[in-house]
Amino acid sequence: MILKKMFIDGKWVDAKNGQTRTIINPFNQEEIATVAEGDQSDAIAAIVAARQAFDQGDWPNTPVTERASIVQKIAELIERDKEELAELESLDTGKTVEESRVDMDDIAGVFRYYAEIGDKNGGEIIPSPVPNSVSKVVHEPVGVCGQITPWNYPLLQASWKLAPALVTGNTLVMKPSEITPLTTVKVFELIEEAGVPAGVANLVLGAGHSVGAELSTNVDVDLISFTGGIETGKKIMQAASVNVKKIALELGGKNPNVVFSDADFETAVDQAMNAVFFHAGQICSAGTRLIIEESIHDEFVKALVERVKNIKLGSGFDEDTQMGPLISAEHLAKVESYVETGIKEGAKLVLGGKRPEDPALQNGFFYLPTIFTDCTTNMSIVQDEAFGPIITVEKFQTEEEAIKLANDSIYGLAGGVWTNDIVKAERCVAKMRMGTVWINEFNLYFPHAPWGGFKQSGIGRELGKLGLEEYTETKHIFHNLDPKPINWFGK
């Protein structure tokens, strides 16, 4: 089995400690790759390379059109190698290969989008109150960026960070999740092929407590961007205070999906399934809190159960598979514990709640699609992010109650409203405290629109123009065209 290495200062290298990690397929626990397992020393080496490339290299001062051309080249290479990348992603995560193909199209689109808008952020002339002067605002790269990505959408989340960082002239050190690094390694091969100079983009593989911690605390890192769990995000935020780094945190959500009685019933049922069981619920924006108007509650739940119980579990490479496994044994145990808690809290388990009995699935980390009813917001299963194939159902009678329930969370990433009354829909979304709110839709995103959350779902935005601005510093330049002595203290 070929060892996948790290990429530091333009070279593919082993971990300094000689350690490796075995990557497994969550469908059957088959070993699919061996990768270098770096630690703090490797992170430091990568930071030194990135620092030197930024402070002494040409990349920050390379014309933005040239940087954009390279980012565009990366998009083209991703499209060229789409099938290889999709297969790697499905082997790594267990998701269906069709999902992974869609991801690769989206990832290429992210690089292409930032290549297109990279030169649209050049600054502006602003009015000056001083005669014979020019005042302007410019946007410059932040510097060395530490980037930490999650296991659920390894390459998609990486693209949200890589593309804007590169096009704006930063240098970077990326740490992917240690359990799903394969597509990120492949894309760094494409980054090298596209002509990104040595030291500009560095890849360190390893655990968060060593590599991630160094990126967070090292004073030579100017920005830390993290996507992952809320507790880790809090630690990174504290660690980043050492040198008051810029921070960008996307920390998940517990997302409400509100269905009014006047919604298109069949579409809402279908989308309620898609909102949760796509990628086995391992999506930060999954609509796991289904909030249904009481008058249609029973009928809606009945229809939902009938459809959900037919979801086919299996290998991501089987064309009939609709849902793959969870990512690991540890995560499976977490989801099982979550369900046990829900039962103890008094929620009614109406479907699932266990591992499948199919012998063909016993070697994988599978969990049946699960539905709880009779849920209330004082239950931990309604408040805590399960990150699994679980729907909790709440009910409401009035519009005001629906909004109160939707907002009753420490999170504020995303939410949805289903109704054919557009005025009511607009009233609702105006009051929902979330970074993205969909009307008669769920889990749709595209590169042009910003992504991020309110409250404890994070700080900052990725994607869109705001995602580009995260990787820049704003500078005001004042030029006096006719300087004269002030004589404030006399001649």
Side-chain angles (χ1 to χ4, degrees):
M1 193 175 293
I2 298 175
L3 172 66
K4 299 291 185 180
K5 300 186 177 186
M6 302 182 292
F7 191 65
I8 299 176
D9 201 15
K11 302 179 183 67
W12 292 97
V13 298
D14 296 320
K16 289 180 182 295
N17 59 19
Q19 297 296 308
T20 62
R21 176 187 290 266
T22 300
I23 306 301
I24 65 169
N25 182 347
F27 166 68
N28 56 12
Q29 301 188 56
E30 174 185 323
E31 296 182 3
I32 55 176
T34 302
V35 301
E37 177 79 351
D39 59 18
Q40 181 184 23
S41 62
D42 301 287
I44 291 172
I47 293 166
V48 169
R51 186 80 263 167
Q52 183 172 0
F54 186 81
D55 293 340
Q56 302 173 31
D58 296 329
W59 186 250
N61 299 313
T62 298
V64 66
T65 52
E66 292 185 27
R67 296 197 301 260
S69 177
I70 291 176
V71 171
Q72 172 67 23
K73 179 65 174 177
I74 297 170
E76 293 169 359
L77 293 173
I78 290 169
E79 290 176 331
R80 183 196 70 187
D81 295 346
K82 171 183 173 178
E83 195 63 24
E84 178 186 355
L85 284 162
E87 290 179 3
L88 278 175
E89 193 85 324
S90 289
L91 284 170
D92 223 356
T93 64
K95 68 175 67 174
T96 69
V97 73
E98 189 55 39
E99 289 178 62
S100 294
R101 290 187 183 111
V102 172
D103 286 351
M104 296 312 135
D105 289 336
D106 290 345
I107 290 160
V110 170
F111 278 94
R112 180 168 286 106
Y113 170 72
Y114 281 112
E116 291 172 352
I117 72 163
D119 62 349
K120 306 297 191 296
N121 197 33
E124 62 177 324
I125 301 297
I126 59 175
S128 171
V130 180
N132 298 313
S133 68
V134 175
S135 187
K136 62 181 179 179
V137 173
V138 298
H139 304 285
E140 299 179 353
V142 173
V144 176
C145 303
Q147 302 179 328
I148 304 173
T149 57
W151 50 258
N152 60 329
Y153 281 87
L155 192 52
L156 184 67
Q157 294 291 333
S159 73
W160 292 13
K161 302 178 191 301
L162 287 168
L166 289 172
V167 82
T168 47
N170 295 278
T171 62
L172 61 95
V173 179
M174 174 162 282
K175 190 206 91 67
S177 168
E178 57 269 32
I179 58 177
T180 57
L182 299 184
T183 49
T184 306
V185 173
K186 172 63 180 178
V187 158
F188 268 75
E189 294 175 4
L190 303 184
I191 285 172
E192 181 184 27
E193 183 179 347
V196 174
V200 169
N202 303 273
L203 174 68
V204 181
L205 309 177
H209 64 80
S210 57
V211 178
E214 184 62 34
L215 292 175
S216 303
T217 57
N218 194 295
V219 296
D220 281 330
V221 175
D222 303 299
L223 175 151
I224 188 80
S225 176
F226 169 78
T227 301
I230 188 170
E231 294 306 319
T232 302
K234 289 177 180 179
K235 293 177 182 177
I236 287 173
M237 190 173 182
Q238 292 172 335
S241 67
V242 171
N243 65 326
V244 197
K245 290 177 177 59
K246 287 189 70 173
I247 54 174
L249 305 174
E250 202 264 79
L251 306 179
K254 189 69 177 177
N255 311 290
N257 192 11
V258 179
V259 182
F260 286 94
S261 60
D262 62 350
D264 183 295
F265 187 89
E266 294 299 328
T267 301
V269 170
D270 179 74
Q271 290 272 11
M273 293 175 59
N274 291 339
V276 178
F277 301 119
F278 200 77
H279 195 17
Q282 299 171 122
I283 307 173
C284 58
S285 58
T288 53
R289 290 184 62 202
L290 185 57
I291 303 174
I292 309 171
E293 190 163 357
E294 188 171 27
S295 62
I296 63 167
H297 173 275
D298 293 352
E299 180 185 7
F300 198 98
V301 170
K302 180 180 178 181
L304 187 65
V305 168
E306 287 301 311
R307 290 199 58 182
V308 171
K309 68 183 182 182
N310 293 321
I311 292 175
K312 179 173 174 51
L313 280 60
S315 167
F317 293 90
D318 184 338
E319 290 184 0
D320 295 330
T321 295
Q322 296 171 311
M323 194 179 90
L326 298 174
I327 190 65
S328 66
E330 292 78 9
H331 190 56
L332 174 58
K334 175 186 173 183
V335 170
E336 288 179 314
S337 175
Y338 179 95
V339 170
E340 291 171 5
T341 298
I343 294 171
K344 291 177 182 178
E345 290 179 324
K348 182 180 179 181
L349 180 64
V350 297
L351 188 70
K354 60 183 180 179
R355 301 185 190 188
E357 297 176 357
D358 184 349
L361 304 179
Q362 296 311 300
N363 290 332
F365 308 124
F366 285 92
Y367 201 79
L368 289 174
T370 298
I371 300 175
F372 277 110
T373 60
D374 297 350
C375 298
T376 59
T377 54
N378 63 347
M379 295 178 176
S380 61
I381 62 165
V382 174
Q383 294 296 332
D384 298 340
E385 187 178 35
F387 227 60
I390 301 169
I391 291 177
T392 62
V393 182
E394 304 161 70
K395 64 176 70 171
F396 68 92
Q397 293 181 333
T398 67
E399 180 182 325
E400 291 72 22
E401 185 184 4
I403 300 307
K404 183 178 179 181
L405 290 173
N407 285 331
D408 189 1
S409 172
I410 65 170
Y411 294 104
L413 184 60
V417 175
W418 293 87
T419 175
N420 285 321
D421 183 340
I422 188 61
V423 176
K424 178 166 62 179
E426 291 291 349
R427 280 198 307 266
C428 289
V429 300
K431 297 175 183 177
M432 293 171 73
R433 299 279 295 161
M434 295 139 209
T436 295
V437 185
W438 298 284
I439 298 174
N440 296 332
E441 181 60 71
F442 213 96
N443 262 339
L444 179 73
Y445 92 97
F446 42 88
H448 311 72
W451 182 262
F454 288 20
K455 297 188 279 186
Q456 294 188 43
S457 281
I459 296 172
R461 292 294 183 269
E462 294 186 295
L463 299 180
K465 293 180 180 178
L466 292 179
L468 192 76
E469 292 172 6
E470 290 284 357
Y471 287 93
T472 64
E473 292 280 19
T474 301
K475 177 184 289 184
H476 173 225
I477 300 173
F478 178 84
H479 184 183
N480 189 339
L481 301 175
D482 187 23
K484 291 182 173 61
I486 298 175
N487 293 324
W488 180 269
F489 299 101
K491 294 183 179 181

